[in-house]
PDB file of all heavy atoms in Angstrom:
ATOM      1  N   GLY B 140     -71.278  46.732 -41.953  1.00  0.00           N
ATOM      2  CA  GLY B 140     -70.734  46.635 -40.603  1.00  0.00           C
ATOM      3  C   GLY B 140     -71.055  45.305 -39.951  1.00  0.00           C
ATOM      4  O   GLY B 140     -71.892  44.537 -40.450  1.00  0.00           O
ATOM      5  N   ALA B 141     -70.395  45.042 -38.859  1.00  0.00           N
ATOM      6  CA  ALA B 141     -70.499  43.736 -38.203  1.00  0.00           C
ATOM      7  C   ALA B 141     -71.934  43.434 -37.758  1.00  0.00           C
ATOM      8  O   ALA B 141     -72.374  42.307 -37.816  1.00  0.00           O
ATOM      9  CB  ALA B 141     -69.569  43.681 -37.005  1.00  0.00           C
ATOM     10  N   ARG B 142     -72.683  44.438 -37.369  1.00  0.00           N
ATOM     11  CA  ARG B 142     -74.023  44.177 -36.844  1.00  0.00           C
ATOM     12  C   ARG B 142     -75.120  44.574 -37.830  1.00  0.00           C
ATOM     13  O   ARG B 142     -76.284  44.641 -37.468  1.00  0.00           O
ATOM     14  CB  ARG B 142     -74.234  44.939 -35.540  1.00  0.00           C
ATOM     15  CG  ARG B 142     -73.199  44.645 -34.478  1.00  0.00           C
ATOM     16  CD  ARG B 142     -73.759  43.754 -33.373  1.00  0.00           C
ATOM     17  NE  ARG B 142     -72.739  43.394 -32.398  1.00  0.00           N
ATOM     18  CZ  ARG B 142     -71.855  42.412 -32.596  1.00  0.00           C
ATOM     19  NH1 ARG B 142     -71.859  41.716 -33.700  1.00  0.00           N
ATOM     20  NH2 ARG B 142     -70.959  42.133 -31.674  1.00  0.00           N
ATOM     21  N   ASP B 143     -74.745  44.845 -39.099  1.00  0.00           N
ATOM     22  CA  ASP B 143     -75.735  45.304 -40.082  1.00  0.00           C
ATOM     23  C   ASP B 143     -76.547  44.159 -40.649  1.00  0.00           C
ATOM     24  O   ASP B 143     -76.046  43.046 -40.820  1.00  0.00           O
ATOM     25  CB  ASP B 143     -75.051  46.034 -41.253  1.00  0.00           C
ATOM     26  CG  ASP B 143     -74.553  47.387 -40.806  1.00  0.00           C
ATOM     27  OD1 ASP B 143     -74.877  47.773 -39.674  1.00  0.00           O
ATOM     28  OD2 ASP B 143     -73.824  48.027 -41.592  1.00  0.00           O
ATOM     29  N   ASP B 144     -77.797  44.483 -40.996  1.00  0.00           N
ATOM     30  CA  ASP B 144     -78.656  43.485 -41.640  1.00  0.00           C
ATOM     31  C   ASP B 144     -78.552  43.583 -43.158  1.00  0.00           C
ATOM     32  O   ASP B 144     -79.217  42.858 -43.881  1.00  0.00           O
ATOM     33  CB  ASP B 144     -80.102  43.703 -41.187  1.00  0.00           C
ATOM     34  CG  ASP B 144     -81.006  42.586 -41.671  1.00  0.00           C
ATOM     35  OD1 ASP B 144     -80.453  41.538 -42.111  1.00  0.00           O
ATOM     36  OD2 ASP B 144     -82.229  42.742 -41.631  1.00  0.00           O
ATOM     37  N   THR B 145     -77.738  44.490 -43.688  1.00  0.00           N
ATOM     38  CA  THR B 145     -77.643  44.667 -45.139  1.00  0.00           C
ATOM     39  C   THR B 145     -76.606  43.712 -45.722  1.00  0.00           C
ATOM     40  O   THR B 145     -76.188  42.761 -45.089  1.00  0.00           O
ATOM     41  CB  THR B 145     -77.268  46.114 -45.467  1.00  0.00           C
ATOM     42  OG1 THR B 145     -76.087  46.422 -44.736  1.00  0.00           O
ATOM     43  CG2 THR B 145     -78.396  47.051 -45.086  1.00  0.00           C
ATOM     44  N   GLY B 146     -76.194  43.999 -46.959  1.00  0.00           N
ATOM     45  CA  GLY B 146     -75.162  43.181 -47.584  1.00  0.00           C
ATOM     46  C   GLY B 146     -75.772  42.044 -48.376  1.00  0.00           C
ATOM     47  O   GLY B 146     -76.944  41.697 -48.213  1.00  0.00           O
ATOM     48  N   GLY B 147     -74.944  41.486 -49.289  1.00  0.00           N
ATOM     49  CA  GLY B 147     -75.473  40.433 -50.158  1.00  0.00           C
ATOM     50  C   GLY B 147     -74.375  39.508 -50.652  1.00  0.00           C
ATOM     51  O   GLY B 147     -73.260  39.486 -50.111  1.00  0.00           O
TER      52      GLY B 147
END
Side-chain angles (χ1 to χ4, degrees):
Chain B
R142 304 254 176 279
D143 288 352
D144 188 14
T145 54

